[in-house]
Amino acid sequence: MSNTAKLELDGKVYELPVVTGTEGERAIDISTLRSASGAITLDDGYSNTGSCRSAITFIDGERGILRYRGIPIEELAEKSTFVETAYLIIYGHLPTSRELQRFSGLLTQNELLHEDMKFHFEGFPTSAHPMAILSSMINGSACFYPECMEPYHAETFDEEAARLISQVRTIAAFAYRKSRGLPIIYPKPVYKYTANFLHMMFSQPYADYDLQPEVVRALDLIFLLHADHEQNCSTATVRFTASSQANLFASAAAGVCALWGPLHGGANQAVIEMLEQIRKEGDDGSKFIEAAKDKKSGRRLMGFGHRVYKNYDPRAKIIKAQCDALLNTLKINDPLLDIAIKLETAALNDPYFIERKLYPNVDFYSGIIMRAIGIPVEMFTVIFAIGRMPGWIANYLEISEDKSSRIYRPRQVYVGANKSPYVPIKDRRAAE
Ligand code: CMC
């Protein structure tokens, strides 16, 4: 296979190096193209652009493969926990018992927010979306630790990363309590990561929440399955922000904002809202499928389709199995699950979805699990953000440690007005 690609422009041939990844994917390195030819490449939505070299996560969207640091997602889902997987993603290898103990210890030591943070929660209206609270409070929390306001330092990174992973969960639970007018529940060091989150969400000052192992495991699995997903919109945003040497907390807060949109992390909320709407309208899903195929309707089948997966999202398969198991254990009969199954079957047999290779993604069934646990719909994207934190941190670390890394600064093809004079206000005419 050739190590160079040739590009001909205006009769001149340019040789461009071809880079090959460890799984054989090939990329044409165009970094010298503009200086050599004056031309840039144009790739709306970046679907054909590799923005970095990364050793964290591998996806083969055609074959439905996802691996963190080389380990298949199916194996991690079966054998690992969110905290162990977080370590793997950030540090590049599965931890030894000592490493895991130290990492878990750091998470516990950093689980409490600075007490003054409580006053910041008071400032939000009860109607505030928890993603708005989360993004502000991540930056707010960093203000209490001077080292967190600094660009990357190897010496303080471990503690900062642990603080972020641990505190994002505390902030999320506090945001939920605030939105319901409920008293804040502090974390308990005796609980592990996910159990502690459920405790802060659902305990009362006078009674601890009953932690059912199946519920803890299901939520832990949701965190694990969301832990990284290479250069998606929010992770690319984190890298973008980090490339200017913004600090870890600021970079993660930017990631939260990017994740919020319904085409990305907001899709899990949008799926449940779609299923509720279908139920209210008395539709069995067939009318909605027809609307989703019609661009004029403005509707899409939420939880379906993916920029990278042109096959079943491997996370969706694992989540569906977990969803069935949890509902069975909790003896919940959720009518939304029946609608979801009908929609999935109909879409997978419909030429529109088949031709476009649209399959269920991670968000299609995760909301049904979260509903069963009692997590309100507006918290779904927050759960995604908690899960995605290790991936954002690992990408922040990767870019910060790369000595050759430069500030991200794409180019554009300008299509606006040509040079025109400034017109004094008295001479301006309203546009017709
Ligand atoms: N329902 C109906 N049609 C769809 C859908 C859908 N969910 N997704 C894509 N299409 C159609 C789209 O209209 C287009 O049709 P045509 O070729 O006739 O113009 C074709 O499929 C390709 O779609 P696209 O919008 O060019 O694909 P994209 O790669 O830009 O978008 C996506 C990917 C995930 C934003 C999109 O599939 C979508 O909006 N899905 C619903 C929202 C969703 O579930 N998002 C969660 C993604 S997974 C979690 C995460 O990591 O963020």
Side-chain angles (χ1 to χ4, degrees), residues 82 129-131 134 168-169 172-173 176 193-194 197-198 201-202 218-227 256 259 265 268 319 363 366-367 369-371 373-390 392:
F82 173 62
H129 195 286
M131 285 296 273
L134 189 67
V168 71
R169 159 194 65 160
Y176 164 70
Y193 189 88
T194 302
F197 175 66
L198 286 164
M201 286 280 291
F202 299 127
L219 186 58
D220 199 74
L221 183 67
I222 288 187
F223 288 150
L224 184 155
L225 293 175
H226 285 87
V256 171
L259 184 70
N268 52 17
I319 284 203
D363 293 317
S366 62
I369 298 185
M370 290 191 267
R371 253 165 76 90
I373 295 175
I375 295 169
V377 77
E378 70 276 11
M379 284 293 289
F380 288 5
T381 315
V382 173
I383 300 291
F384 192 153
I386 298 174
R388 185 54 53 89
M389 210 45 80
W392 290 342

Side-chain angles (χ1 to χ4, degrees), residues 26-46:
R26 303 175 84 208
I28 301 165
D29 179 350
I30 51 108
S31 49
T32 57
L33 183 63
R34 186 171 180 276
S35 55
S37 71
I40 59 167
T41 55
L42 180 62
D43 182 18
D44 257 343
Y46 303 123

